[in-house]
């Protein structure tokens, strides 16, 4: 009998007052309870990090304060929590001396958000350099970019980046077909996320029922996520 991979929500905004995803600790607790009620085993907290706005040190302090606030509460229902960041890709990101602190803790996995405009050559150079430095680069919610600039996404995957998809995009038939085609042709899609901001039952149901659209692919993707999180630090409440 095959062992079921844990259900991993690889992209969520559930730490209070770190970014615009969650306004209070009480909201964080409701988010965590919502995740667990839908069967999520592990959630990766990926608050936004913008290199042109904040330093990695300031970001880490905000994250630690959010975790301390959570520990002040008696939390009765929560998935295990991993701590990472959603880092905006910018040129020369690889030159940051403390970049490792933005990885999922305990790993060399870094979640990168692509800029909204067309990618430039320096963006590819930066991702290639990160990979050569031993980072595992995962592109956040590639479904957002597949329609806008699909060749750029393909080129990123070709140079060695992995990809995460948002579950809510699977309801759009064109995007779903493209993602299913990618899943059939490549092993680069490694994670599914809710991209949860706030408490939204309808949005989270889309994450919890992603198997309806991904079918047998979902277990494969969850197994890839589990491998990426091997050695990751987890928080249990």
């Amino acid at each position: 009998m095959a062992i079921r991979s844990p259900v991993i929500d690889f992209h969520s905004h559930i730490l209070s007052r770190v970014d615009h995803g969650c306004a209070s600790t009480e909201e964080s607790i409701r988010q965590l309870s919502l995740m667990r009620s839908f069967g999520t085993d592990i959630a990766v907290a990926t608050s936004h990090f913008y290199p042109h706005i904040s330093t990695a040190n300031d970001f880490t302090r905000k994250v630690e304060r959010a975790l301390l606030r959570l520990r002040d509460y008696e939390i009765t229902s929560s998935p295990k929590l991993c701590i990472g960041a959603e880092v905006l890709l910018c040129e020369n990101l690889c030159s940051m001396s403390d970049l490792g602190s933005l990885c999922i803790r305990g790993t060399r996995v870094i979640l990168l958000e692509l800029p909204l405009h067309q990618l430039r050559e320096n963006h590819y150079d930066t991702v290639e350099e990160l990979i050569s430095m031993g980072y595992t680069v995962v592109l956040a919610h590639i479904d957002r970019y597949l329609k806008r600039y699909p060749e750029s996404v393909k080129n990123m995957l070709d140079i060695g980046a992995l990809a995460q998809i948002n579950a809510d995009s699977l309801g759009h038939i064109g995007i779903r077909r493209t993602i299913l085609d990618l899943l059939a042709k490549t092993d680069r899609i490694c994670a599914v996320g809710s991209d949860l901001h706030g408490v939204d039952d309808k949005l989270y149901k889309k994450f919890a029922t992603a198997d309806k659209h991904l079918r047998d692919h979902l277990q494969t993707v969850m197994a890839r996520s589990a491998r990426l999180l091997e050695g990751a630090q987890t928080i249990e409440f």
Side-chain angles (χ1 to χ4, degrees):
M1 183 171 142
I3 299 174
R4 181 185 75 87
S5 294
V7 176
I8 300 171
D9 183 344
F10 210 86
H11 184 181
S12 60
H13 298 265
I14 53 178
L15 296 180
S16 64
R17 289 180 265 168
V18 179
D19 61 10
H20 59 276
C22 180
S24 68
T25 304
E26 291 79 8
E27 186 174 48
S28 288
I29 293 168
R30 291 198 302 273
Q31 287 174 302
L32 291 168
S33 180
L34 176 67
M35 290 173 155
R36 194 72 195 107
S37 71
F38 276 106
T40 299
D41 299 305
I42 301 171
V44 186
T46 50
S47 304
H48 285 287
F49 174 78
Y50 301 112
H52 59 292
I53 293 177
S54 176
T55 67
N57 194 40
D58 286 342
F59 175 84
T60 301
R61 282 201 294 266
K62 286 183 179 180
V63 168
E64 287 303 322
R65 286 197 291 267
L67 291 173
L68 282 173
R69 289 192 294 270
L70 276 174
R71 291 189 177 102
D72 285 340
Y73 284 75
E74 183 177 341
I75 299 174
T76 58
S77 180
S78 171
K80 294 179 181 178
L81 196 61
C82 294
I83 307 300
E86 181 183 2
V87 181
L88 180 65
L89 172 61
C90 61
E91 298 167 16
N92 302 316
L93 181 69
C94 48
S95 65
M96 283 181 57
S97 58
D98 46 4
L99 184 63
S101 65
L102 301 173
C103 292
I104 297 172
R105 294 183 182 182
T107 77
R108 296 278 284 179
V109 178
I110 187 165
L111 185 71
L112 295 185
E113 179 180 26
L114 298 180
L116 290 176
H117 56 72
Q118 186 68 37
L119 298 184
R120 296 187 290 270
E121 194 61 37
N122 282 343
H123 290 117
Y124 298 107
D125 293 341
T126 297
V127 169
E128 284 191 296
E129 180 63 18
L130 288 171
I131 292 170
S132 74
M133 293 166 66
Y135 292 101
T136 299
V137 172
V138 180
L139 305 178
H141 43 60
I142 63 161
D143 40 277
R144 289 188 185 176
Y145 316 109
L146 286 172
K147 190 172 182 179
R148 187 177 295 125
Y149 42 88
E151 281 306 308
S152 296
V153 173
K154 180 181 181 299
N155 292 338
M156 279 291 185
L157 300 183
D158 286 345
I159 65 175
L162 302 176
Q164 173 256 319
I165 57 175
N166 278 0
D168 67 326
S169 69
L170 298 171
H172 303 278
I173 189 166
I175 295 296
R176 181 167 73 246
R177 284 174 176 167
T178 302
I179 289 170
L180 288 171
D181 186 57
L182 281 172
L183 283 164
K185 293 178 177 178
T186 177
D187 62 356
R188 311 309 290 174
I189 297 180
C190 66
V192 181
S194 66
D195 205 357
L196 185 65
H197 289 65
V199 182
D200 188 336
D201 295 58
K202 290 181 180 178
L203 174 67
Y204 213 77
K205 187 174 182 180
K206 292 178 181 178
F207 172 80
T209 58
D211 58 334
K212 179 176 70 174
H213 299 301
L214 295 180
R215 299 184 291 277
D216 293 342
H217 291 296
L218 184 65
Q219 272 299 300
T220 300
V221 172
M222 289 294 171
R224 290 171 185 161
S225 294
R227 286 194 291 272
L228 288 177
L229 295 182
E230 287 177 0
Q233 299 173 18
T234 57
I235 298 170
E236 297 186 51
F237 298 103

